[in-house]
Amino acid sequence: MSSDNTSMPCARARHFNIVVIGAGQAGLSAAGTLHRRGLVAGSDFAVLDANQGPGGAWRHRWNALTLGRAHGVHDLPGFALKNPDTWRPASQVVGEYYGAYEQHLGLEVIRPTKVKVVTQPQDDVFYISTDGTDFTANAVINATGTWESPNIPYYHGLEYFTGKQWHTKTFRDVEDFRDQRVLVVGGGASAIQFLMMLEKVTDHTVWVSRSLPRWNPEHFSPDWGRRVEERVTTLVTAGKVPRSVVSNTGLALNEDSLDFINRGALVFRGFIDSFGADQVTLNGPGPDGATINSQGPAVDNLLRARDPRLAQMHRNTEILPGHGTDIPHQWVTPIDSILWATGFQHSLGHLYPLDIRSEYGGVVVGKDGVTVPAAPGVFLVGYGASASTVGATRAGRKAAVAAIQYLG
């Protein structure tokens, strides 16, 4: 295939047959497949990335998240990550790995380039406006992930809270919370990791979420992962908004997490009612904060099997102060900081001018999980079932092949 500049809506835009937006796991997988199918980076296709360097969202992770504590990084096609140092920060290891892959294939990633909007002025041409050079393409593979769209839910009174607020996206070092009273909000793996780390610097953590924690004692095997992907695919092919990762997977219940539960570090304390300037009102066990409530049948059964005395557990931290109230189970605790581990939304705003949203708020994708019937020539990767590193690799390959077939 060769580039054709005759259909450019703007003479200053650079034209490629295929433009890949994003250079994370999914985007690099797509680009690598295009390369192996004989397309030339910088001529037939281009990869745009908003980051300053390789690594995708991984490059922004906190240093304490070592590769050994991360969920894992799936090998990019034909380029294995051999014997990585699991004690090094995942941001460094993955950044170096992705960079080596880009160099190995000569992908010539164009960065930093942030895509602002994608439109379709002609039936067979997409116009890609960025904060720098603009581009046109006959097909677009979108791999922008979620990192740029942090989700922070609103609660009554939050605007009056005067303390520091952090999010998974802005978290850098657990030392920022030393000796502070920290409210950790969220029911996913990030919240669990934060609570484990915070135990080293403070005895004043309170874990809350919008729903009860879903502990899962099931072994996270490849077969289990495929079943999860099938459930997610059913949702996105109907155009529904993908649910959070933890709603599909649950929280890994193992010996490590059981120990933290027993010590009081991973104890779900209830639901947020409202905020004040330096406090939060909760609906949950209390108000003294001493007795640990049930953490769900999966946890309770395993703890009792290990030691019957654990049926009546108690926190090893100080008693949390409460206020008198006529509302049962409502209690107040002072806080200095809020750590929002409330996840992300898919970064698809730049594609909305193409009118791809369904009546349910999501994007309808084809049975292959990557095609967008509402916008022929657009392919989504890292969306829905392909949000994991394993799924992203497979989706990247599918999208590249589908884009080539689309262009004939």
Side-chain angles (χ1 to χ4, degrees), residues 8-10 13 117-121 125-129 134-137:
M8 289 193 302
C10 177
V117 67
V118 178
T119 56
Q120 192 173 18
V125 175
F126 295 96
Y127 190 84
I128 304 161
S129 174
D134 291 344
F135 300 84
T136 57

Side-chain angles (χ1 to χ4, degrees), residues 165-199:
Q165 296 187 53
W166 308 74
H167 186 272
T168 304
K169 187 178 188 296
T170 58
F171 178 89
R172 288 294 176 269
D173 195 328
V174 71
E175 286 295 331
D176 292 329
F177 301 89
R178 181 167 290 280
D179 297 327
Q180 290 191 22
R181 299 167 297 191
V182 186
L183 181 74
V184 179
V185 188
S190 294
I192 300 306
Q193 293 172 4
F194 292 147
L195 287 159
M196 289 178 173
M197 291 189 291
L198 286 168
E199 188 192 37

Side-chain angles (χ1 to χ4, degrees), residues 292 300 303-304 307-313:
I292 290 180
D300 297 343
L303 286 174
R304 290 191 182 98
D307 187 345
R309 293 173 299 176
L310 295 178
Q312 297 295 326
M313 299 179 293

